[in-house]
Amino acid sequence: MLHFDSDYMEGAHPKVMERLMATNLEQTTGYGTDSHTLHARALIREAVGNPDAEVYFLVGGTQTNATVIASLLSGCEAVVAAETGHISVHEAGAVEATGHKVLTLPAKEGKIEVEVLDRYLRDFFADGTYEHMVLPALAYISQPTEYGTLYSLAELEEISATCHRYGLKLYLDGARLGYALAAEGNDVTIKDLGRLCDAFYIGGTKVGALCGEAVVLKGKGLIPHFFSEIKRHGALLAKGRVLGVQFETLFSDGLYLECGRHAVSQAMKLKAAFTAAGYTPAIDSPTNQQFFRLPNPLIDRLSESMTFEYWGPRGDTESTVRFVTSWATTDEAIAALAAAL
Amino acid sequence: MLHFDSDYMEGAHPKVMERLMATNLEQTTGYGTDSHTLHARALIREAVGNPDAEVYFLVGGTQTNATVIASLLSGCEAVVAAETGHISVHEAGAVEATGHKVLTLPAKEGKIEVEVLDRYLRDFFADGTYEHMVLPALAYISQPTEYGTLYSLAELEEISATCHRYGLKLYLDGARLGYALAAEGNDVTIKDLGRLCDAFYIGGTKVGALCGEAVVLKGKGLIPHFFSEIKRHGALLAKGRVLGVQFETLFSDGLYLECGRHAVSQAMKLKAAFTAAGYTPAIDSPTNQQFFRLPNPLIDRLSESMTFEYWGPRGDTESTVRFVTSWATTDEAIAALAAAL
Amino acid sequence: MLHFDSDYMEGAHPKVMERLMATNLEQTTGYGTDSHTLHARALIREAVGNPDAEVYFLVGGTQTNATVIASLLSGCEAVVAAETGHISVHEAGAVEATGHKVLTLPAKEGKIEVEVLDRYLRDFFADGTYEHMVLPALAYISQPTEYGTLYSLAELEEISATCHRYGLKLYLDGARLGYALAAEGNDVTIKDLGRLCDAFYIGGTKVGALCGEAVVLKGKGLIPHFFSEIKRHGALLAKGRVLGVQFETLFSDGLYLECGRHAVSQAMKLKAAFTAAGYTPAIDSPTNQQFFRLPNPLIDRLSESMTFEYWGPRGDTESTVRFVTSWATTDEAIAALAAAL
Amino acid sequence: MLHFDSDYMEGAHPKVMERLMATNLEQTTGYGTDSHTLHARALIREAVGNPDAEVYFLVGGTQTNATVIASLLSGCEAVVAAETGHISVHEAGAVEATGHKVLTLPAKEGKIEVEVLDRYLRDFFADGTYEHMVLPALAYISQPTEYGTLYSLAELEEISATCHRYGLKLYLDGARLGYALAAEGNDVTIKDLGRLCDAFYIGGTKVGALCGEAVVLKGKGLIPHFFSEIKRHGALLAKGRVLGVQFETLFSDGLYLECGRHAVSQAMKLKAAFTAAGYTPAIDSPTNQQFFRLPNPLIDRLSESMTFEYWGPRGDTESTVRFVTSWATTDEAIAALAAAL
């Protein structure tokens, strides 16, 4: 059986496992005060190009989103997201559980268009009753998006400028960031994110780690008492080293990008196999998630030898499905898929 | 200056004030345990036709919505509302402040269409990932809606049945309920609400009281410890009698309906005046809120002698405005408006 | 039957009712933007002696405490209170409902002693694990306390200084403030509160109003978007005038202090009656709440002709009870009580 | 340098690491639906002796406490804990962040005494004002406690019965459960916990795992939608297998108890070393945490060659310190400590 459901189907990249083994019996202090975590922080600060950035390691994506967003908002403030954004749909109301509304905007293949954002904010502040509504104070975007698409540098510059013009902060969900950085045509570097976002996270769980996400806050003091906030949200790992060692490894010798490049390369081969078989992608994704609208009988036949996800409800004659590659996808798997088409 | 901004521009109906004066120096116990509150409860139980109904008096609409909705939901459960619903837009995130998401459906002139609700719930439970989403457990509708429109009895029966088929409870916001009950063509009685809704509230603030909303819960034990929940939401009035006396008066001698009838009657005259002047309503509202799309110069001219609200952003040549009547709107005011058109 | 249960057993002071009647049919805008509310704000700013103070009117005490405290705290921050404080015990967890812990200190007759507060804060910040705990960021005190006692000016100066030295804000619950201001021996003026507290409220519900509490924030911008926060907590009254008119009346012609003086004067007569009958107060309270430890048979006998509250659990031979006077307590009631002893 | 700060200073037990390595490239579905997690659940159900128990794996202790407690409580309900309980002190308000109060009882060496609990609940429900307070609906205890002490089976039976008599559920924090089960004199089995507690968790982080806690719910449906609740609290691990594999290993071949026995055995040697040097324990702990009141000069001298924690503020001449052993504590470390005394 082949598996293209997701990018979290294996454990960790072998180099990450090796380091966890090699350091296993070291005795370290807890809660992220150990030397591995400090080293990982330094490596990420350097990658981001901001010596003042604050870096924290949390365990998973939903947890990271809820903790950062709640910590950046107060009282009546809300976060603006694409209606297809992960926090809007697939996080079981984790943001609302912290007391804050997720305001949604129509999205184009997962992306918020700057014109839509600008018009929304202009209309909001022009509305005489806005004090009776929640206040948009933060924008949430993802790179790549839930549809595999990417913001260009120009788009990101504009979104950042628009947010700041209306007093909003910008937060970027990089659950699959490695696959964005490695995509052909991508012109947004991790340093750009450090410059344009008030906060973002570098996804580990889906890019080579057992678990773990690295939160990068632009400036010291952006979130006072963030250590305690992490604890309060149940997101502080006692053995912080588990995250520190993993990110130390991912950010040494270019491993994070290597994970990204492998998955993207396999995704392009997968896309080519579908195209060669006469199926054009439903979305033009340059990253590790590929979407196709396929005849239901083909879907049924493929399902006998491989797993993948439906994307949206199943249609009467054809349906949209998602195939995902990862740092671990083998050439054999791609070849077998191609042969099956 | 004339005022058509809203239905909360005066104090209370003179009969309500009289009763407050007459009872002012009575000594009563607090928190709704006094005889006036008990009497008001009995009157409402009788009006609703349900001797098992539990009746509580809260102070205002947003407070009532947040308190009841939070008490009916647990953890990952959410409330479904029209995207134009008051809780979705104009309550500053009061529901989200209690930790629950407001799921929104497209609405037609303020109303949720039963087909839309049914399709949404069917698709939701058919989605294999639904456990990663909030669970729709309650539907919120308003009667009349924020656009002055009404659900027919047939529509309400269907919405109630659809909710219960999918395991949702039904809650109805009756902030302006008196104006619905008194509307021409309305076929939904307060007894129907008691039968079809798990919970609803009878609005006092906008229908003759200084403040106050009467919550009706269908069965004993629907919300355990609701007294404490009210307290916890800061919604328990120490001098509960202030609410009890008002609702006692409104539900004696038909005063509540009398308030409703007066406002609706004045609204129909107002609508006729606009129609006679050549302006057709933007929405066909049978209640005390009337909406018109008027040329901007006319709006400017009217604004010199009267106040009213813009409804949505102002257009380049014409804009939509709202005129509201109440139990207190005088014939003179309507005549002056007609003369000004 | 006589009633000494509480100070919220009547409606409003007759002068307040008169003004509500006189202004009843005025048409005003909503949500506290009317001229009466603006006037009431100006009167309170003047009384407080701070032209920069922001004044808002909310409906009840629990609501006011939760709204102000939640708005002054963020994330992991907590409020410190006496273990007997109203927010610690009798508000059904309204503060915790907003996500914040109430840290409690041992109290002396309802008061926090400055030494206790200072030692607590010094130990807290000296504890190496304090980032794993909630952060004390606000102190809550009441004047008079739940035991009728008062902070002296010297004590209040010290508490305020201690709070500010450790980075805490100071918030004072003045649910019964009028009875403190009128107490013999009291040396704390309302101007002192405006100077020493970051926020406090002037209680209306228990001092002559139907309902209503006036929140005073020391400086502009102390709580950004406080209007929206009030709405979000369900504490924004549509007919804001109802509160505005009442506080306008209470702060004209010295009515607020007059209410206070009457109740205190009656309480002193009541205390004298008990003393004359051989019962010394359990607590030396100079305000309108009086506490006595009485033999159970006497309690039983008094209960036949009057109502009052047990204060703590009933003992085997004697129990502690509370008698409360108000602006409305008559000479006849005091005389009848004295006769019954 | 020796380290006795805590039981989370190393990675995972070597056998756990081996299994993680051996299964690393297996492809599994996410979110705890993989075969290792299913196997781990079955092993724990068997250990608990309850085929109907529901078992879920979460990442850390604070997260587990907040998620379970919030899911067991609704609205105005609260959890009762020892004032020294971990949720009361060292979880940065994670329970309050979910909207619920932690009611605290005086404790004896970390334990709630059944008489204290019974009196508290009896007084609570006898108090006429209890509807103005939060409702105790759950009791939280820990085994071993934060002071290393244990409840006996008789005590646990009584606490469970008392809780259930007053309508409370019982939840037990087993962060260090392995060290309780292995303690000399302990008569509480894991089957007893499954019988007497409505919910409890088996700690992995401190007993041999990299991270992970296994929640055991007594009956099906105790918490409806608990999967979604876990997600909502940010506690759902995408690679659920990471937890599944670890608990599968810990609950195979008696490894969990082996970890416990090793740590307890080393703790007893450590205690003996102190006793031999003339220092009696401050608390009679039969588990892996040992507390001593030592002269400050000795503390200073020991600090040169080893790390450990102050327990409470430092005294003028002597202070209380904590030494902790774990599954990984070596004989050499104990010998070196003994030599240093």
Side-chain angles (χ1 to χ4, degrees), chain C residues 109 111 142-145 147-152 155 176-177 179-188 284-287:
Chain C
E109 297 186 344
K111 291 165 64 177
S142 44
Q143 175 88 329
T145 69
Y147 289 79
T149 52
L150 294 177
Y151 290 93
S152 71
E155 288 170 338
R176 295 186 166 100
L177 187 59
Y179 306 128
L181 296 175
E184 195 176 345
N186 169 60
D187 63 351
V188 178
D284 183 20
S285 158
T287 61

Side-chain angles (χ1 to χ4, degrees), chain B residues 281-303:
Chain B
I283 293 170
D284 184 19
S285 158
T287 62
N288 73 319
Q289 298 185 85
Q290 296 294 325
F291 303 86
F292 305 95
R293 190 143 183 90
L294 302 181
N296 289 340
L298 175 60
I299 291 175
D300 290 340
R301 186 162 59 75
L302 292 176
S303 297

Side-chain angles (χ1 to χ4, degrees), chain A residues 3 8-12 17 21 24 26-28 31 59 63 90 92 94 205 209-210 231-232 234 239 241, chain D residues 3 8-12 17 21 24 26-28 31 63 90 92 94 205 209-210 231-232 234 237 239 241:
Chain A
H3 298 288
Y8 46 73
M9 305 199 72
E10 292 87 9
M17 292 305 294
M21 286 295 273
N24 188 51
E26 285 181 18
Q27 287 187 301
T28 65
Y31 305 113
V59 177
Q63 177 188 84
H90 277 114
T205 301
L210 287 176
K231 178 90 182 183
R232 181 176 178 250
K239 296 183 179 172
R241 67 194 279 156
Chain D
H3 298 289
Y8 46 72
M9 305 198 72
E10 292 86 10
M17 291 305 293
M21 284 295 273
N24 189 49
E26 284 182 18
Q27 287 187 300
T28 64
Y31 305 113
Q63 177 187 83
H90 277 115
T205 301
L210 287 176
K231 177 89 181 185
R232 180 177 179 249
L237 207 57
K239 297 182 179 173
R241 67 193 282 156

Side-chain angles (χ1 to χ4, degrees), chain B residues 269-285:
Chain B
K269 292 182 208 161
L270 182 151
K271 186 199 288 197
F274 272 99
T275 307
Y279 305 105
T280 49
I283 293 170
D284 184 19
S285 158

